[in-house]
Amino acid sequence: GGDIVVCMIAHALYDLQTFFFTWLSSNDQIEYACDKYLKPFDAATTKELQGMRAPKDVVEKCKKLFYTFDAYDKKDEALSLSEVRKG
């Protein structure tokens, strides 16, 4: 009768490990996005945005969204199709 208990404990430990590492990964991604979002644009990008006449609040929201999707582990500041699918 004790065989099911071992399986339940093993499954609970697996779930806990999966939850914990997902939580760590999510926190790293959010921290990366916040750090990058707060940095100002370089001069060339700022000039280009001024030429587009994009509202500042829209630009800031797009910037935050971009860095949220950009994979923390790659740090390439470019979006791939797989990163967008994961988002």
Side-chain angles (χ1 to χ4, degrees):
D3 294 338
I4 190 77
V5 174
V6 174
C7 294
M8 290 171 62
I9 291 172
H11 188 70
L13 290 173
Y14 171 77
D15 285 347
L16 184 63
Q17 176 192 5
T18 302
F19 174 75
F20 179 72
F21 286 114
T22 301
W23 178 76
L24 282 179
S25 176
S26 297
N27 279 342
D28 286 344
Q29 182 65 37
I30 291 169
E31 183 179 2
Y32 167 75
C34 288
D35 288 346
K36 296 301 266 184
Y37 164 73
L38 295 174
K39 291 184 180 178
F41 287 117
D42 61 4
T45 304
T46 302
K47 187 174 181 178
E48 185 177 340
L49 287 170
Q50 288 172 344
M52 294 170 46
R53 298 182 184 173
K56 185 175 177 128
D57 62 328
V58 172
V59 171
E60 293 299 319
K61 287 177 184 176
C62 289
K63 184 178 178 184
K64 186 181 277 188
L65 183 64
F66 173 84
Y67 284 116
T68 301
F69 276 97
D70 188 29
Y72 167 75
D73 55 344
K74 290 185 180 178
K75 297 181 184 179
D76 58 357
E77 296 191 10
L79 291 181
S80 67
L81 189 55
S82 66
E83 289 173 333
V84 175
R85 286 182 184 149
K86 289 179 186 176

